Amino acid sequence: MGLQRKKPPLMLRCFISQGFPIFITSVVLVCQIYFQTRTPLALKNVIDGLLQNDRSANFAHLSIEYLWVTCCASFFLFLRTALQVVTGLGIWADLRESLYKQLLGLPLGFFSRRQTGNLTSLTNTDPTYVRYGVGLAFFQLLSAFVLLY
């Protein structure tokens, strides 16, 4: 009789299984925040150039820099949103698969004692809430943390 290792909670296992997409999304989030914080500064430089009636190449350079920063911020916002959806769907699929495996391993008497509405809710609705929670709340928390520091 050896020691049995205790499995981590189901949600933690699903979260760990999606570690690489979460890491990539976090890197994209940091890049997006970097460019979003640079956008007002670039716009300020362009407006200052307009107010000074600067028609030189410097003004054109500042305008191109503003467009570049804005495009990068938009691209990283799109990429972050897409990765959040993919990560949320991956966790959702892992969670549903684990729930179905657990349900298939239960004895038949379990299903006669339980109402089917509760089981349907457990397998359909709850993983969907987790998907939205992880896909949005985790990355919003990470975004707030990065913006603070």
Side-chain angles (χ1 to χ4, degrees):
M1 210 182 337
L3 292 173
Q4 287 187 338
R5 295 182 76 186
K6 191 174 180 180
K7 283 185 174 180
L10 177 62
M11 189 59 215
L12 183 61
R13 283 184 300 193
C14 293
F15 198 72
I16 290 171
S17 73
Q18 296 296 318
F20 185 71
I22 289 173
F23 172 74
I24 295 297
T25 307
S26 302
V27 170
V28 168
L29 173 74
V30 170
C31 292
Q32 180 220 345
I33 289 172
Y34 170 76
F35 281 109
Q36 274 186 337
T37 55
R38 292 211 29 159
T39 301
L41 179 63
L43 181 60
K44 178 191 169 293
N45 291 339
V46 170
I47 291 173
D48 287 345
L50 279 174
L51 292 177
Q52 296 172 0
N53 290 328
D54 186 7
R55 301 280 185 231
S56 65
N58 189 27
F59 175 71
H61 173 70
L62 290 175
S63 299
I64 291 172
E65 178 187 355
Y66 171 70
L67 288 174
W68 169 251
V69 168
T70 304
C71 289
C72 287
S74 299
F75 172 73
F76 283 117
L77 176 63
F78 169 76
L79 193 59
R80 184 193 77 176
T81 304
L83 286 170
Q84 283 177 341
V85 169
V86 168
T87 304
L89 285 174
I91 290 174
W92 177 68
D94 289 347
L95 187 60
R96 285 188 70 158
E97 180 183 350
S98 297
L99 284 172
Y100 284 129
K101 283 181 182 177
Q102 181 73 23
L103 286 174
L104 289 175
L106 294 173
L108 291 178
F110 173 82
F111 298 101
S112 65
R113 292 188 306 262
R114 297 284 182 169
Q115 295 178 348
T116 56
N118 291 341
L119 293 175
T120 304
S121 174
L122 175 72
T123 57
N124 291 331
T125 310
D126 294 350
T128 304
Y129 290 146
V130 169
R131 180 181 103 195
Y132 289 122
V134 170
L136 298 174
F138 173 75
F139 293 110
Q140 285 178 346
L141 177 69
L142 182 63
S143 176
F145 181 75
V146 170
L147 284 173
L148 284 175
Y149 298 101

